[in-house]
Amino acid sequence: MFRLRPKSGSLTALAGRYDDRNNDAELLRRQRSVRRRGHLTLGDLKAVGQWKSPRSAGRMQANSDRFVTEISGFALSARGERSRIESLNALSGVSWPTSSVILHFFHTDAYPIMDFRALWSLGATAPSHYAFDFWWSYVEYTRDLANRAGLNMRTLDKALWQYSKERQG
């Protein structure tokens, strides 16, 4: 289902060319407190929305802080992979790609970000409707790839995004 387009030896260099316009620093700054608390606040969720998709960030305002706390707390503590990702989709303004950002930055396990650029770099296209089986195959493939390449998931994610950006414009 997935096939790495760039040479695996080029991943570190690709990640180094990643232009951090979205400012990872804001989410990384929040990472420690979210992990300590075990849940996101509405402010954390809005920061995720601004990072991933500023257009959807406004829809996130429809969530109460309590609902964000409960849903994200469940997702970050759930043992089942399906429970982790799909529960986050219950939040207003959140779909599979944004849920993947939440897990990527705030869960202690390694998760890739679901993004059309990363998928293209792996020889796949974003499906019209995401489903757990597709997402889980993507997670397993990228975890194995990161492990084989000796990279953390954030570096791999940047490399995949950058490769697509350079090749697709």
Side-chain angles (χ1 to χ4, degrees), residues 131-147:
F132 177 77
D133 290 339
F134 179 83
W135 177 79
W136 185 240
S137 295
Y138 177 60
V139 171
E140 290 185 309
Y141 182 85
T142 56
R143 283 179 176 173
D144 181 62
L145 177 58
N147 186 49

Side-chain angles (χ1 to χ4, degrees), residues 147-161:
N147 186 49
R148 285 185 286 118
L151 302 173
N152 64 46
M153 190 61 77
R154 186 72 201 117
T155 302
L156 176 61
D157 183 74
K158 289 177 178 183
L160 296 175
W161 194 95

Side-chain angles (χ1 to χ4, degrees), residues 7-145:
K7 294 181 178 162
S8 61
S10 69
L11 294 172
T12 301
L14 284 163
R17 294 194 301 270
Y18 176 83
D19 182 6
D20 190 12
R21 287 189 190 120
N22 287 351
N23 193 6
D24 287 1
E26 175 60 22
L27 295 183
L28 292 171
R29 184 183 67 75
R30 294 171 180 269
Q31 188 178 66
R32 177 173 280 168
S33 60
V34 169
R35 287 180 177 176
R36 183 176 27 82
R37 284 191 315 263
H39 64 82
L40 280 74
T41 64
L42 180 57
D44 296 325
L45 181 62
K46 287 196 265 184
V48 168
Q50 281 299 119
W51 187 92
K52 178 64 176 156
S53 176
R55 292 176 304 167
S56 69
R59 292 192 303 269
M60 293 176 182
Q61 189 63 40
N63 295 293
S64 69
D65 196 50
R66 182 178 186 150
F67 189 58
V68 172
T69 295
E70 289 175 350
I71 295 299
S72 65
F74 172 78
L76 295 176
S77 65
R79 289 185 174 186
E81 295 293 348
R82 187 175 206 143
S83 298
R84 289 177 183 172
I85 189 76
E86 290 188 5
S87 61
L88 291 167
N89 293 334
L91 296 164
S92 294
V94 175
S95 60
W96 288 86
T98 304
S99 293
S100 73
V101 172
I102 293 168
L103 292 177
H104 180 81
F105 281 102
F106 302 117
H107 200 279
T108 56
D109 291 348
Y111 287 98
I113 294 174
M114 183 71 69
D115 184 85
F116 77 95
R117 289 199 178 280
L119 290 170
W120 184 87
S121 295
L122 297 176
T125 57
S128 57
H129 293 81
Y130 289 102
F132 177 77
D133 290 339
F134 179 83
W135 177 79
W136 185 240
S137 295
Y138 177 60
V139 171
E140 290 185 309
Y141 182 85
T142 56
R143 283 179 176 173
D144 181 62
L145 177 58

